Amino acid sequence: MRVLISGGGTGGHIFPALAVAGAVRRLYPEAEILFVGALGRMEMERVPAAGYRIIGLPVAGFNRRKLWKNIPVVFRLLKSMRMAKAILKEFRPDICVGVGGYASGPMLKAAQKRGIPTLIQEQNSYAGVTNKLLAKKADAICVAYDGMERFFPAAKIEKTGNPVRAGIADCPVGRAEAKAELGFPADKPLVAVVGGSLGARTVNDSMKGALEAIMAAGASVLWQTGKLYAEECRGFADSFLAEHPEVAGRLRVQPFIDRMDLVYAGADLMVSRAGASTISEIQIAGMASVLVPSPNVAEDHQRHNAEALADKGAAVMVLDRDCRGCLAGTVTSLLASPGRLDEIRRAARAMALPGADDLIAERLLYIVKH
């Protein structure tokens, strides 16, 4: 059996794709799996590192604000569509899975034209344009939120949840031990700031203004800046530590965090963007969070994601435009209210849909065999 998985662009697409691939391998060890991603994006490194073959397409996203800049994007799309046809002819997949991201559109469209079964994994609470266009001819659409029939044919929808990275759901260490493994004092609250693999300008700028107040409240801070802002934030942190040497053991700034399982196990509070994968990990881990949805995403889907939690008391939402002015007060207020943090954790955990990777893999195998 041959399975083609397409999509990527961010960790929010890549990690679920790898989780589904792992579940397929567990259920059907003989399966041959091929990934198709976008050239120059992080999947071209992450997928081979996980032991899978990947082909890159020259596809890129459309500029919705400066339409005249899309001329080269159109040529890239046309070339990607030709490549997609060639990939299907050579690999001959039994099914194609789209997890979102630039490569997913041309790859699944080409598969549908050839009559190859397709499965869409829509991670957000507000469906993207590409998935809505592909939905009519898809064999199954796996979602993580209720109410998705407003975007997709109801008969094709299955609420599976979003797959999460290995170790998030079943990290064997407790909070104090996880803090110690991360290099922080076990007896101090830990705030994890996660702006995504590339980083988030608003989150990083807000942390510059909030850091002193958060540290003064007695907390430790693990600040993931993203690679685009690593040097700038590292310089800020060095200056801060020079003025406040007494907090040296409670502050660490780095571009990327490899052991997110330990972060979810050890952090008392997370400050994060509201990407779909992050939301699902927060729910699975039962993490208290301050969500700052990015305004720079299609259909404002991160705000919809964050609202889905905030409306149920499972997170605190701070809009991007307000974050610089209120992040310090929001975080310190929550740290001063352990009871509220516990309520948020319970509400987040109640929304979790564990085992999504296995459910999607089982559905995928059912389609192939029937």
Side-chain angles (χ1 to χ4, degrees):
M1 185 180 70
R2 296 181 178 89
V3 178
L4 188 150
I5 302 176
S6 64
T10 67
H13 294 307
I14 298 164
F15 296 131
L18 290 172
V20 171
V24 170
R25 280 273 169 85
R26 288 194 300 272
L27 293 172
Y28 201 98
E30 298 84 5
E32 185 177 351
I33 299 172
L34 173 67
F35 280 79
V36 177
L39 287 172
R41 307 295 290 189
M42 66 184 294
E43 60 263 27
M44 301 308 294
E45 296 179 4
R46 294 276 169 180
V47 170
Y52 298 97
R53 184 162 72 99
I54 186 169
I55 297 173
L57 302 181
V59 66
F62 280 91
N63 190 321
R64 301 181 183 218
R65 296 180 180 177
K66 300 177 181 178
L67 297 180
W68 65 90
K69 291 191 174 183
N70 288 317
I71 294 175
V73 175
V74 172
F75 283 104
R76 286 187 175 196
L77 177 60
L78 293 173
K79 183 177 181 180
S80 296
M81 292 173 71
R82 290 194 298 271
M83 289 180 65
K85 293 177 184 178
I87 291 168
L88 293 175
K89 185 176 180 180
E90 178 188 348
F91 184 63
R92 294 179 292 111
D94 294 290
I95 189 167
C96 289
V97 180
V99 297
Y102 300 142
S104 186
M107 204 67 244
L108 262 69
K109 187 68 174 177
Q112 290 177 347
K113 284 185 176 180
R114 291 176 67 94
I116 298 169
T118 57
L119 181 149
I120 294 171
Q121 203 259 313
E122 173 57 63
Q123 298 156 8
N124 294 292
S125 62
Y126 196 94
V129 173
T130 300
N131 279 349
K132 285 189 281 189
L133 293 173
L134 294 168
K136 185 177 180 180
K137 293 185 178 180
D139 291 80
I141 304 165
C142 297
V143 304
Y145 295 91
D146 293 323
M148 299 302 287
E149 60 274 3
R150 57 193 168 134
F151 307 113
F152 303 129
K156 297 183 179 183
I157 294 174
E158 294 193 28
K159 188 179 177 184
T160 60
N162 287 325
V164 301
R165 284 175 277 191
I168 300 297
D170 53 1
C171 186
V173 301
R175 187 169 295 158
E177 185 180 351
K179 288 177 185 177
E181 286 198 40
L182 289 167
F184 293 101
D187 60 343
K188 301 284 187 182
L190 173 61
V191 177
V193 182
V194 183
S197 54
L198 298 179
R201 165 61 69 189
T202 297
V203 174
N204 287 329
D205 284 352
S206 300
M207 273 305 297
K208 291 176 185 178
L211 187 60
E212 186 170 0
I214 294 172
M215 301 297 289
S220 301
V221 173
L222 175 57
W223 181 1
Q224 183 211 303
T225 64
K227 68 177 183 179
L228 296 181
Y229 305 98
E231 185 176 348
E232 171 191 326
C233 294
R234 180 70 262 174
F236 174 86
D238 288 344
S239 298
F240 182 87
L241 288 171
E243 296 179 13
H244 304 277
E246 71 280 1
V247 304
R250 294 194 283 121
L251 173 63
R252 192 159 82 243
V253 178
Q254 58 194 69
F256 192 78
I257 301 171
D258 289 315
R259 291 298 307 275
M260 281 302 297
D261 58 329
L262 290 178
V263 174
Y264 281 110
D268 297 86
L269 179 66
M270 178 179 286
V271 178
S272 175
R273 286 300 200 192
S277 289
T278 298
I279 294 285
S280 294
E281 291 177 349
I282 284 170
Q283 293 169 334
I284 291 288
M287 170 65 69
S289 62
V290 175
L291 298 175
V292 186
S294 171
N296 306 311
V297 294
E299 286 83 40
D300 202 17
H301 66 251
Q302 285 204 7
R303 181 176 62 83
H304 294 284
N305 293 346
E307 285 177 341
L309 271 71
D311 289 347
K312 294 186 177 182
V316 174
M317 183 176 74
V318 172
L319 294 179
D320 189 88
R321 64 173 180 262
D322 302 326
C323 190
R324 290 175 175 86
C326 72
L327 184 62
T330 301
V331 170
T332 54
S333 175
L334 287 168
L335 292 175
S337 307
R340 188 176 180 207
L341 287 177
D342 285 338
E343 291 174 1
I344 294 172
R345 292 183 189 112
R346 285 193 293 270
R349 191 174 289 110
M351 295 181 71
L353 294 170
D357 52 350
D358 288 324
L359 291 173
I360 294 169
E362 288 168 3
R363 180 59 176 148
L364 178 158
L365 292 171
Y366 178 85
I367 292 171
V368 171
K369 293 179 179 180
H370 294 82

